[in-house]
Amino acid sequence: MTSALLGTAALALVLACAVGARPRLWLGLNSLGTLAGLGAAATVLTGGQGWALRSSLAPGGENVFLTLDALSALFLVLVCLTGGLGALYASEYWPDDHFPRSAPRGRSWWSALVLSMGLVLTCANGLHFLFAWEAFALSAYFLITLDRERSEVRRAGWLYLAASHAGTMALFAFFSALAAGVGTWDLGPLRDRPDLAPLFWLALLGFGVKAGMFPLHIWLPSAHAGAPSHVSAIMSGVAVKMGVYGIVRFSGWLPVPDGAGWTVLGIGCASALVGIVFAMAQNDIKRLLAYCTVENVGIILIGLGLALLAAAHGHPVWGQVALAGSLLHVFNHCLFKSLLFFGAGSVLHATGTRDMSRLGGLWRAMPWTAALFAMGAAAVSGLPPLNGFVSEWAIYQGLLKAVAQKGETFGVLPAVIVLAGTGAMALGAFAKASAIVFLGAPRGKTSGHATECGLAMRAAMVVPAAVMLCVGLMPGFFLHLVQGCIADWTPQWAASAPPIPARAIGAAHTALACALAAAAIFALRKVRAGGIRRGPTWDCGYAAPTAHMQYTGGSFAGIVTGWFRWLLRPDRRIRRVRGYFPESALALERVPETVLEKGVGPAARAVMLLADAARGLQHGRLHLYILYVFLGVTALGMLVFQGGM
């Protein structure tokens, strides 16, 4: 059955790539492919046997070898779920009427992206994995640059492509060294080969670029912000998870060196803290969501790093809890981040701007978008009774159990503090986003004329919201699905389930959800009955208050971002109020991409200066070229002579 479903998915997606110019046929084929892939993944996750296929086909001189186990099936669920919902969303968000040239091209590249990510998850041959990985990177590039008329989009696309290929170089070295050490390109468990442990660092570097972990995240904010919103959703919810998949997969299949757990844990803490600090400082709603992706990748890596520590020190109890929380957070983040990007896209579709300082008061015109975005904001902040609380709570439990061990793992205490701090700042960042965009009065003309999105875009937002609520109310079912992934990662942990009181969490969440629903119904009835009197807020004595007197995104987060000014390094332009009757004042603040603009950029410019200087040596004079060769041979001879002495 799994073979038939995967074959149907692959065939439907290949046909969808070919019929991108026909919207309805493409949507039907893409939906068929993603539903078939979702069925195959669900079959494996719910207790079915893993799937494997060896074929006589030999592209690149290597026979095709495909597998699907519980771990790859979990990530395949993300690919198919977001791939199907994003296609539905794009049918309204990026239609042929408004984008006659890019829409057909975007549909074909969308199906190619979904197909290539599916191949990444099922390829069990290192050479073919690299083929699929490159197809995945190129498909994502062409989707990011759909709106290529804008210079900022072209720059974001080139930055993504450069970073992606830098990571691919590390992966090429990783798979080549692995094949040389094993004698075959086929992939599988090699836990009894300690000589392969140093290869973990190459895998962490190559996959870490795609995952967007700090400081390798430099491509992520601009790519996610500049891409169409449905592309941003699949990039954030799924594409970065391909990097996480690679780290999880090969940290389970291969032995890891000493210190790997602490390294991954430290990178996770840095990514979580830096990501949410930069998210808090953003005024562009899509950049805020992009930096929040860096934060959540950090949370996932905290759980994985803790699991690596547990495996190294022989503590399966809290290792299982941490890994279960990490893998469930992979699924949860896909749900609420897709929902949030879809919501941000609905706002952009209605108003034409991503700048929160030009928005406001949209809840009246866009009640569906406002409610669903608020639900996603609560989930990403880890609030009960939604899914984000369940996975973050499990990671907390793993950390606290490790701290209680009082041995060599007591050093994870800072990770508890970092996770708590990032959770608090995430709540502040998304309170800012929801309040500035949807509450208050419109700050510009575009907000005042906004209308709600159509049925297709709303349906694409309702589905992940419903699944998020299901995870929150029935955590035991979803934690049971993750158990198979834990067994694939470490077979020694397969005998027992992680000690998480899922039934108690589900019961508490159900009670809380019922109470919230009752309170919402009561408030709605009071409003309809005229029991609430509306009026302007306190105007501080102003005779004619305007929308410009409301909090902006910068003022809302000003105190918190001021604590991290040393990290954010903002560019500020201030013209202060002077005199009793000032005519004007100015306060502008831009938060740069600090790592890119203050670190990578200057280093790249220095390299280009050296290259330009070296170019002067290429002048076409043969006698000087002979002199270069003579000097080089002389220098090598001297080195050999010195070594012999």
Side-chain angles (χ1 to χ4, degrees), residues 362-412:
L362 290 178
W363 72 273
R364 292 177 181 273
M366 308 176 68
W368 280 87
T369 300
L372 291 168
F373 189 93
M375 187 174 178
V380 74
S381 302
L383 298 180
L386 297 171
N387 58 341
F389 175 84
V390 179
S391 51
E392 290 195 31
W393 185 89
I395 295 174
Y396 268 119
Q397 290 301 304
L399 288 169
L400 294 174
K401 290 178 185 295
V403 171
Q405 200 70 37
K406 290 290 183 70
E408 60 275 7
T409 57
F410 186 74
V412 304

Side-chain angles (χ1 to χ4, degrees), residues 23 37 144 309 635:
I144 290 169
L309 284 175

Side-chain angles (χ1 to χ4, degrees), residues 39-300:
T43 301
V44 174
L45 279 175
T46 52
Q49 293 295 321
W51 172 82
L53 170 68
R54 285 188 180 272
S55 172
S56 58
L57 294 175
E62 291 289 322
N63 290 335
V64 171
F65 181 26
L66 304 175
T67 63
L68 184 69
D69 59 7
L71 183 59
S72 53
L74 173 67
F75 286 83
L76 186 60
V77 168
L78 313 184
V79 173
C80 295
L81 183 63
T82 309
L85 293 175
L88 177 63
Y89 186 92
S91 65
E92 179 184 341
Y93 180 79
W94 206 264
D96 288 39
D97 295 344
H98 292 86
F99 306 97
R101 296 181 60 187
S102 62
R105 186 172 66 243
R107 288 191 288 268
S108 294
W109 284 118
W110 181 273
S111 296
L113 177 67
V114 174
L115 179 62
S116 58
M117 287 194 292
L119 287 173
V120 165
L121 297 173
T122 54
C123 278
N125 179 279
L127 186 62
H128 298 157
F129 186 102
L130 287 172
F131 291 163
W133 190 264
E134 184 65 10
F136 156 44
L138 291 175
S139 302
Y141 165 76
F142 286 112
L143 284 171
I144 290 169
T145 56
L146 276 182
D147 193 12
R148 63 186 61 179
E149 288 78 11
R150 295 161 53 203
S151 59
E152 64 181 71
V153 172
R154 294 195 298 273
R155 286 196 300 269
W158 282 116
L159 180 59
Y160 161 78
L161 200 61
S164 182
H165 281 92
T168 302
M169 290 175 62
L171 292 182
F172 185 81
F174 167 72
F175 284 111
S176 299
L178 183 61
V182 177
T184 177
W185 284 93
D186 286 349
L187 303 173
L190 294 166
R191 301 178 182 92
D192 58 346
R193 292 287 303 273
D195 57 305
L196 300 175
L199 295 181
F200 171 81
W201 303 118
L202 278 174
L204 183 63
L205 175 62
F207 289 117
V209 172
K210 188 68 70 178
M213 67 186 193
F214 178 82
L216 306 178
H217 70 288
I218 56 173
W219 64 271
L220 192 150
S222 56
H224 288 194
S229 295
H230 61 292
V231 178
S232 303
I234 201 168
M235 290 295 294
S236 178
V238 184
V240 298
K241 303 306 189 316
M242 296 297 102
V244 173
Y245 168 77
I247 298 171
V248 175
R249 169 61 79 193
F250 290 101
S251 65
W253 270 358
L254 301 178
V256 297
D258 295 337
W262 288 112
T263 301
V264 173
L265 184 65
I267 292 173
C269 290
S271 299
L273 184 60
V274 171
I276 198 58
V277 167
F278 274 89
M280 192 78 173
Q282 300 305 308
N283 287 318
D284 182 324
I285 187 171
K286 289 185 68 177
R287 280 187 178 273
L288 185 152
L289 296 177
Y291 274 112
C292 181
T293 298
V294 178
E295 180 231 352
N296 279 273
V297 167
I299 293 173
I300 293 167

Side-chain angles (χ1 to χ4, degrees), residues 410-638:
F410 186 74
V412 304
L413 180 60
V416 180
I417 300 171
V418 169
L419 191 58
T422 56
M425 284 191 286
L427 181 58
F430 282 94
K432 161 188 164 178
S434 301
I436 299 299
V437 172
F438 295 104
L439 302 182
R443 293 176 174 82
K445 295 180 180 179
T446 55
S447 298
H449 296 90
T451 57
E452 184 61 272
C453 61
L455 183 60
M457 291 171 64
R458 269 183 280 172
M461 290 189 281
V462 167
V463 172
V467 180
M468 284 159 43
L469 187 59
C470 289
V471 177
L473 299 182
M474 298 183 294
F477 173 76
F478 292 91
L479 286 168
H480 174 72
L481 298 182
V482 169
Q483 178 61 24
C485 305
I486 296 175
D488 285 338
W489 191 75
T490 302
Q492 293 84 349
W493 293 357
S496 59
I500 300 175
R503 184 174 298 179
I505 296 174
H509 278 188
T510 301
L512 180 58
C514 292
L516 291 174
I521 293 171
F522 174 78
L524 184 61
R525 288 183 175 178
K526 289 286 289 182
V527 170
R528 288 182 175 177
I532 295 180
R533 184 171 57 86
R534 291 188 174 91
T537 57
W538 180 49
D539 57 12
C540 304
Y542 285 100
T546 69
H548 296 291
M549 296 176 183
Q550 301 176 102
Y551 272 104
T552 62
S555 60
F556 189 99
I559 294 176
V560 176
T561 55
W563 299 341
F564 296 95
R565 191 169 298 276
W566 57 272
L567 175 62
L568 298 172
R569 307 293 294 276
D571 301 324
R572 305 184 70 186
R573 289 179 56 199
I574 297 178
R575 187 168 64 246
R576 299 188 181 279
V577 175
R578 298 185 183 279
Y580 294 105
F581 301 100
E583 294 183 359
S584 64
L586 179 70
L588 298 177
E589 182 173 284
R590 173 185 169 271
V591 177
E593 309 286 349
T594 307
V595 176
L596 177 63
E597 297 182 24
K598 308 293 185 182
V600 177
R605 286 191 290 272
V607 170
M608 292 303 296
L609 287 174
L610 291 175
D612 289 339
R615 186 179 299 171
L617 300 175
Q618 298 177 339
H619 38 60
R621 299 175 183 175
L622 183 60
H623 61 285
L624 290 178
Y625 290 162
I626 295 173
L627 177 63
Y628 297 160
V629 174
F630 173 75
L631 292 175
V633 172
T634 302
L636 287 174
M638 294 177 64

Side-chain angles (χ1 to χ4, degrees), residues 289-364:
L289 296 177
Y291 274 112
C292 181
T293 298
V294 178
E295 180 231 352
N296 279 273
V297 167
I299 293 173
I300 293 167
L301 292 179
I302 287 174
L304 177 61
L306 193 60
L308 288 169
L309 284 175
H313 294 99
H315 298 295
V317 174
W318 47 265
Q320 284 180 298
V321 174
L323 186 58
S326 179
L327 293 173
L328 187 59
H329 201 71
V330 168
F331 180 65
N332 288 340
H333 178 256
C334 175
L335 293 173
F336 53 65
K337 191 51 67 68
S338 298
L339 171 59
L340 288 167
F341 269 115
F342 288 158
S346 178
V347 171
L348 178 59
H349 187 262
T351 64
T353 182
R354 306 188 315 244
D355 188 350
M356 289 187 286
S357 63
R358 297 171 59 190
L359 299 170
L362 290 178
W363 72 273
R364 292 177 181 273

